[in-house]
Amino acid sequence: MTDKLIPLRIAGVGYSLPETVVTNDDLTKLYETSDEWIYSRTGIKERRLVSGNENAIDLGEIAAKNALKKAGMKADDLDMIIAASTAPIELYSMGCQIQKRLDMTKQVPAFDVSAACTGLIYCLSIAKGFVASGMYKNILIVATDNNSKLLDWTDRGTSILFGDGAGAMVVTASDDGVDDIITIDIKSDGKYDHLISLPFDGKNCPLVEPNEVHPSLIKMNGKGVYAFVAKILPKYVEELLQKTGLTSDDIDYLIPHQANIRIIQAVQERLGMPEEKVVTNIKYYGNTSAASIPIALAEGVEKGSVKLGSTALLCGFGAGMTWGGAIIRLREGIC
Ligand code: COA
């Protein structure tokens, strides 16, 4: 431990998507809907879904390895793994599952953060604290989701929105005194827990009472989520910028959680940002929950729509309700 706060460097980012594509037209085989209905309300045309035995651990492993490679690190260089998953395939720590896949010989701490689609920003905030204090140096964040296994595929108001994917970030102590996290903030309000939920209520002991197994599927009040987020998020992001003493002119890219194009546009309009500064891939991947921000970031850099040596504003929201934002530096070499 040290008295001086240690600045953080984002060393590498990576992502992974399943190959199976399900279009809006494909969904018409499941229920009464249309490409026009879905696209006009959400901005989504298609999504990637896991198939066969593929799951969030497989996706997370690839994203993690990509991020480690970009960071120029081996798995054994890591001091900690933090996983965020809205749809974990293993409730007893996705972080440990990723650790196992990385074949680490060191027994570093690995754990999960449950903050739904705001997971990446929560993890980054936690990692910043550990790096700043000097407790841990090299931290892998893996945000990975296979929502498709936990959706009710008869619920057309919810299942149209989500996709599967993983994003990862490796952070470390900055050796040049510059912190890549210019600001970071996380929020939640449990009063709105009813808007999105994934109950794991299990069942009581049969000696206590007869019972049935309840399916554990994602439940969402879409209209309620929309109204809540449209009210809080644009104002919140604007205030985050103001508190940092910055304006939207100082930000090169807005990289928002990819939940609904209309919510993204509401944030963009509030900040008065031109469209070319807004990174979106919702059209092709839908809402990949915690993974959506790191996928948008890593894919944007890989495809050249996000140039490095820049500044990005990340913002997200999710079940809980949780929300958060960060303004970060994107240095050369992270992807
Ligand atoms: N295709 C066609 N019709 C559909 C439909 C679908 N996929 N889903 C719902 N409908 C119908 C409803 O049954 C309803 O019909 P009714 O008026 O006859 O009852 C009508 O369309 C309107 O439904 P509603 O739920 O009010 O639609 P909406 O305009 O609110 O759009 C969402 C639904 C889900 C697209 C929208 O609310 C949304 O994007 N919310 C935000 C959700 C979100 O971001 N969640 C992620 C959080 S991380």
Side-chain angles (χ1 to χ4, degrees):
M1 296 277 270
T2 161
D3 289 343
K4 206 164 153 269
L5 293 181
I6 298 169
L8 175 149
R9 182 164 67 84
I10 298 172
V13 293
Y15 72 104
S16 163
L17 290 156
E19 284 188 5
T20 306
V21 177
V22 172
T23 66
N24 290 345
D25 284 336
D26 292 332
L27 292 180
T28 63
K29 293 174 202 150
L30 288 180
Y31 35 62
E32 178 95 28
T33 190
S34 67
D35 176 54
E36 194 281 324
W37 196 98
I38 299 171
Y39 186 60
S40 63
R41 279 168 183 78
T42 66
I44 300 166
K45 278 269 177 198
E46 57 190 49
R47 69 283 297 139
R48 301 289 188 89
L49 304 184
V50 291
S51 58
N53 292 328
E54 185 180 32
N55 63 43
I57 300 167
D58 304 309
L59 300 175
E61 175 188 348
I62 299 168
K65 286 179 174 168
N66 288 342
L68 278 167
K69 196 170 166 195
K70 296 295 174 189
M73 285 188 204
K74 299 185 297 300
D76 268 340
D77 294 328
L78 292 172
D79 302 308
M80 174 177 278
I81 298 172
I82 315 176
S85 188
T86 306
I89 192 81
E90 168 57 66
L91 281 179
Y92 289 157
S93 186
M94 293 288 282
C96 291
Q97 295 294 325
I98 299 292
Q99 182 179 38
K100 180 174 156 189
R101 293 290 184 93
L102 295 179
D103 286 330
M104 295 178 69
T105 60
K106 282 163 61 187
Q107 293 163 335
V108 304
F111 60 95
D112 294 3
V113 168
S114 176
C117 302
T118 324
L120 185 276
I121 298 176
Y122 267 69
C123 289
L124 194 53
S125 181
I126 293 164
K128 180 170 170 54
F130 279 125
V131 171
S133 69
M135 273 183 83
Y136 295 96
K137 186 177 174 197
N138 300 331
I139 302 179
L140 168 68
I141 297 168
V142 184
T144 183
D145 274 303
N146 48 215
N147 292 303
S148 65
K149 287 181 190 272
L150 296 172
L151 284 165
D152 175 355
W153 286 102
T154 64
D155 175 2
R156 63 179 180 167
T158 302
S159 56
I160 52 164
L161 295 180
F162 294 93
D164 301 332
M169 203 180 248
V170 174
V171 301
T172 184
S174 173
D175 51 16
D176 61 5
V178 177
D179 201 321
D180 288 353
I181 300 186
I182 298 167
T183 193
I184 191 157
D185 182 71
I186 46 177
K187 293 266 186 292
S188 59
D189 192 337
K191 284 198 297 295
Y192 297 90
D193 67 331
H194 55 282
L195 293 177
I196 318 172
S197 63
L198 179 51
F200 272 91
D201 46 2
K203 55 180 185 171
N204 294 335
C205 169
L207 296 175
V208 176
E209 57 199 336
N211 52 45
E212 291 166 14
V213 179
H214 303 286
S216 298
L217 300 173
I218 297 167
K219 290 184 189 153
M220 184 184 73
N221 169 351
K223 238 185 184 22
V225 172
Y226 190 90
F228 177 82
V229 177
K231 190 170 164 217
I232 60 138
L233 196 69
K235 185 167 178 277
Y236 167 76
V237 174
E238 184 183 49
E239 285 172 2
L240 188 71
L241 259 179
Q242 286 167 353
K243 272 191 241 161
T244 317
L246 298 172
T247 72
S248 54
D249 290 341
D250 301 313
I251 306 294
D252 298 303
Y253 302 104
L254 172 65
I255 308 181
H257 171 42
Q258 312 283 309
N260 182 308
I261 197 70
R262 292 182 295 152
I263 292 172
I264 294 174
Q265 285 162 350
V267 174
Q268 174 193 344
E269 280 163 24
R270 181 81 177 223
L271 299 180
M273 272 191 164
E275 209 176 314
E276 58 272 17
K277 281 189 170 186
V278 185
V279 182
T280 61
N281 58 19
I282 188 169
K283 187 171 176 183
Y284 303 105
Y285 308 138
N287 179 348
T288 54
S289 297
S292 91
I293 294 174
I295 292 175
L297 166 58
E299 187 194 50
V301 176
E302 187 182 85
K303 294 195 168 163
S305 56
V306 174
K307 305 269 182 275
L308 295 176
S310 58
T311 307
L313 194 162
L314 318 180
C315 64
F317 62 92
M321 293 293 284
T322 58
W323 62 102
I327 301 173
I328 60 171
R329 290 189 175 86
L330 301 175
R331 300 204 211 188
E332 296 294 341
I334 62 165
C335 186

